[in-house]
Amino acid sequence: MSGTSDYTPPKVWTWNKANGGQFASINRPISGPTHDKELPVGRHPLQLYSLGTPNGQKVTIMLEELLALGHEGAEYDAWLIRIGDGDQFGSGFVAVNPNSKIPALMDRSGPKPIRVFESGAILTYLAEKFGAFLPTEPSERAECLSWLFWQMGSAPYLGGGFGHFYAYAPTKIEYAIDRFAMEVKRQLDVLDRRLAESEYLAGSQYTIADIAVWPWYGGLVKGWTYGAAEFLQVEDYKNVLRWADTIYSRPAVQRGRMVNRLSGDPSSQLHERHDASDFDTRTQDKLAAAE
């Protein structure tokens, strides 16, 4: 029976072997830095240290959207953090985010640098700093923040749960895949029902709730994540698909999705972003052609 196992947990767990399949190198049971390494600092007020995963895309999309609105103070340098190489365990990164996860932001626009970590906190911080993508009317603000925090609580079941066991775990475990597939489909149904009655998650306006949810669930129904679109029958979630396409049509979203990206077509990868012109001159296909 696929649900059976010869493994019996010991009385006390010990870390005596790598664990995590493809991502074993980024997992360990302790926090703190493993080596001394200062972070680079560019010329813009905002310094982002990240990777183009769904969590990283939230922040780069937000920054590109702010710039598209004309907020010059949202100019930023996006430095690549290669988590497979352990960059997130360097002393400089740990000083910005003691949790050693991307993304991490330093705001150097004021007299004292401000660190912000966790993607939801960064989105809220930027929305409040620039007065954009977060409603001020109390009921609309509450709806926006509710969906933002829905994403924070739900996405681990999609990523660390379903995505890990379906796509990355060294062995396929039917029980684990079934458990998390059921939960992800429930989440997609939650989104689909909401988007049947509302253009965007928080209402009629595009907000940080959409910016947070789209890289995870938009990417899933677009077929970009885990190769699981057919397995999860994403075509059943027509309102999510409509919403995903609407958001992907935004130029700022397309730009934000490219920043710190290490996979996909070379023309879609901008490993580091230090100026708006980098999208035209420093994508991987352009750099390869210049060599």
Side-chain angles (χ1 to χ4, degrees):
M1 180 178 175
S2 60
T4 62
S5 172
D6 295 331
Y7 174 70
T8 300
K11 289 184 178 181
V12 177
W13 182 85
T14 56
W15 185 40
N16 56 18
K17 60 182 179 297
N19 184 275
Q22 182 176 333
F23 296 100
S25 64
I26 72 171
N27 295 322
R28 59 193 184 119
I30 56 174
S31 62
T34 60
H35 58 284
D36 289 328
K37 184 177 181 181
E38 293 302 310
L39 291 173
V41 178
R43 61 188 177 90
H44 295 305
L46 300 175
Q47 299 293 302
L48 178 67
Y49 305 95
S50 193
L51 179 66
T53 65
N55 282 335
Q57 289 174 32
K58 297 175 197 175
V59 179
T60 49
I61 288 171
M62 178 65 169
L63 290 166
E64 292 298 327
E65 291 281 16
L66 290 168
L67 290 170
L69 285 181
H71 293 286
E72 295 181 1
E75 272 293 355
Y76 68 104
D77 291 277
W79 302 94
L80 180 62
I81 299 297
R82 294 180 182 269
I83 62 174
D85 295 344
D87 290 351
Q88 72 276 29
F89 300 125
S91 57
F93 190 89
V94 174
V96 180
N97 184 354
N99 196 38
S100 292
K101 302 290 184 181
I102 62 91
L105 179 74
M106 287 295 294
D107 182 355
R108 297 179 175 274
S109 62
K112 180 180 178 181
I114 298 172
R115 77 175 187 184
V116 195
F117 59 92
E118 295 298 326
S119 59
I122 296 173
L123 291 180
T124 305
Y125 177 82
L126 292 172
E128 292 179 338
K129 179 180 177 71
F130 293 102
F133 303 115
L134 178 59
T136 56
E137 192 278 325
S139 64
E140 294 175 356
R141 179 183 174 88
E143 189 74 17
C144 175
L145 292 177
S146 293
W147 285 106
L148 174 66
F149 283 94
W150 176 89
Q151 188 276 320
M152 301 299 142
S154 297
Y157 292 97
L158 169 56
F162 173 76
H164 177 76
F165 286 105
Y166 181 80
Y168 303 129
T171 57
K172 302 299 183 189
I173 304 171
E174 182 180 3
Y175 170 79
I177 293 172
D178 283 351
R179 183 181 192 277
F180 290 113
M182 178 170 60
E183 172 60 13
V184 170
K185 286 183 71 67
R186 188 194 69 82
Q187 293 174 3
L188 288 169
D189 194 47
V190 170
L191 290 175
D192 203 64
R193 290 170 184 266
R194 171 57 178 166
L195 292 166
E197 63 186 19
S198 179
E199 183 178 3
Y200 296 103
L201 287 173
S204 61
Q205 301 298 316
Y206 174 68
T207 68
I208 56 173
D210 302 289
I211 293 172
V213 173
W214 184 84
W216 282 103
Y217 295 88
L220 183 67
V221 300
K222 293 289 287 180
W224 300 330
T225 309
Y226 309 128
E230 181 180 7
F231 181 76
L232 295 171
Q233 296 178 292
V234 300
E235 69 276 5
D236 292 346
Y237 307 101
K238 299 188 186 309
N239 299 302
V240 181
L241 286 163
R242 182 269 307 163
W243 166 84
D245 287 339
T246 297
I247 292 178
Y248 186 54
S249 70
R250 299 176 69 91
V253 171
Q254 295 175 30
R255 290 193 299 273
R257 191 168 178 267
M258 295 169 63
V259 180
N260 299 146
R261 185 176 179 84
L262 293 179
S263 62
D265 191 288
S267 66
S268 72
Q269 298 181 40
L270 181 62
H271 287 187
E272 291 188 355
R273 187 264 192 215
H274 303 291
D275 188 85
S277 65
D278 290 345
F279 290 101
D280 298 319
T281 63
R282 297 194 61 79
T283 53
Q284 286 304 108
D285 60 323
K286 302 279 182 28
L287 294 179
E291 290 180 356

